[in-house]
Amino acid sequence: MASLRTTLRRAGTVAALTAGGVLAAAGAAFAHVTVHPESYAKGATDGVLTFRVPNEEDTAATTKVQVFLPTDHPVLGVLVTPEDGWTAQVTTTKLRTPVKTDDGNITDAVSQITWTGGRIRHGQYQDFHVAFGQLPDDTDQLAFKTLQTYSDGNVVRWIEETPKGGDEPENPAPVLALTAKGTAEGSASTPAATSAGGTTTDTGKSGGATTKAASSSDSTARGLGIAGLVVGVLGLAAAAFALVRGRGRTTTSE
């Protein structure tokens, strides 16, 4: 009987550790700031990028989000959608090399968008929508380095880029893959948005709250979490069966 109790305790410990480990991995995936969709066709026009910002702190709320747009491969015609409770400040930068378009040369592009005034609390996330006129066609990906500031003053820097064939860094920057035309996930669309004209522009605080479904990567993380729980339950069930069977044998021998 003592050995069976030991087996049960060990099985329960292993099951708990397995489920906890998988759930921890899923939580880490949720915590990352990401951009959706994950890919667009090179040179795509009239689309939308959504920056998803989850809160990873238990005791503080996210109060400021800064997204930096690349200027070596600029995104043209950026417009910011009003988000309920948040004020967006858009900063433009003069390009080193003007971009030639059908409408003439573009000499300025948005380099930074800062959202303030709202709060993302523990267990919540916020989607920030940015419309664009045209994506570059001379690169394979765009990294949007992001700073996430919390109410306790802590700043998480999502600025690390994943090397090709390497492991994901601790604080990865949101990355948009640019693929050959006709193979990207994103589809062209033009939402209602406020203009981002001028060097620095503030948008209003009106607009609907974001409640979009999680991305495919989030779904995968949830699946891993559920799998971990199933493994734990099966382990406990097997241990319980062994205990009951052992008791039955003891009774028969007596």
Side-chain angles (χ1 to χ4, degrees):
M1 290 294 294
S3 62
L4 286 173
R5 292 194 183 95
T6 300
T7 300
L8 179 59
R9 285 196 298 271
R10 289 178 178 174
T13 300
V14 171
L17 290 175
T18 301
V22 174
L23 288 174
F30 290 144
H32 294 175
V33 174
T34 52
V35 61
H36 303 273
E38 295 180 352
S39 65
Y40 256 112
K42 293 181 178 181
T45 59
D46 299 327
V48 177
L49 298 174
T50 299
F51 295 94
R52 178 161 296 172
V53 182
N55 190 329
E56 63 175 2
E57 296 289 344
D58 295 333
T59 59
T62 296
T63 57
K64 182 179 181 180
V65 176
Q66 297 166 269
V67 175
F68 297 87
L69 284 68
T71 55
D72 53 345
H73 303 285
V75 178
L76 305 181
V78 170
L79 300 173
V80 180
T81 301
E83 306 294 346
D84 188 28
W86 295 85
T87 296
Q89 186 178 56
V90 179
T91 302
T92 61
T93 298
K94 194 169 190 64
L95 300 175
R96 292 183 180 180
T97 304
V99 178
K100 296 181 179 180
T101 69
D102 294 337
D103 298 324
N105 290 341
I106 304 297
T107 59
D108 299 272
V110 173
S111 58
Q112 180 181 339
I113 306 173
T114 301
W115 287 274
T116 56
R119 298 178 75 84
I120 308 173
R121 303 182 187 278
H122 174 66
Q124 298 178 343
Y125 72 88
Q126 176 71 42
D127 279 351
F128 297 96
H129 305 287
V130 176
F132 63 82
Q134 183 175 339
L135 295 177
D137 59 5
D138 57 352
T139 185
D140 294 329
Q141 67 177 30
L142 296 174
F144 299 94
K145 297 181 179 181
T146 302
L147 301 184
Q148 182 178 8
T149 301
Y150 286 89
S151 55
D152 60 2
N154 183 38
V155 178
V156 181
R157 300 168 64 84
W158 303 101
I159 62 173
E160 299 176 286
E161 296 187 40
T162 304
K164 289 185 178 181
D167 295 331
E168 184 178 70
E170 183 177 356
N171 295 315
V175 173
L176 176 71
L178 296 180
T179 65
K181 293 182 179 180
T183 61
E185 294 180 9
S187 58
S189 60
T190 306
T194 59
S195 175
T199 301
T200 303
T201 303
D202 289 336
T203 64
K205 294 186 179 180
S206 62
T210 299
T211 57
K212 291 201 171 184
S215 66
S216 59
S217 60
D218 292 343
S219 299
T220 300
R222 284 184 181 144
L224 289 174
I226 294 172
L229 291 177
V230 171
V231 170
V233 171
L234 291 177
L236 290 175
F241 176 77
L243 178 60
V244 172
R245 186 177 181 183
R247 285 179 177 174
R249 288 179 177 176
T250 302
T251 304
T252 301
S253 62
E254 292 175 352

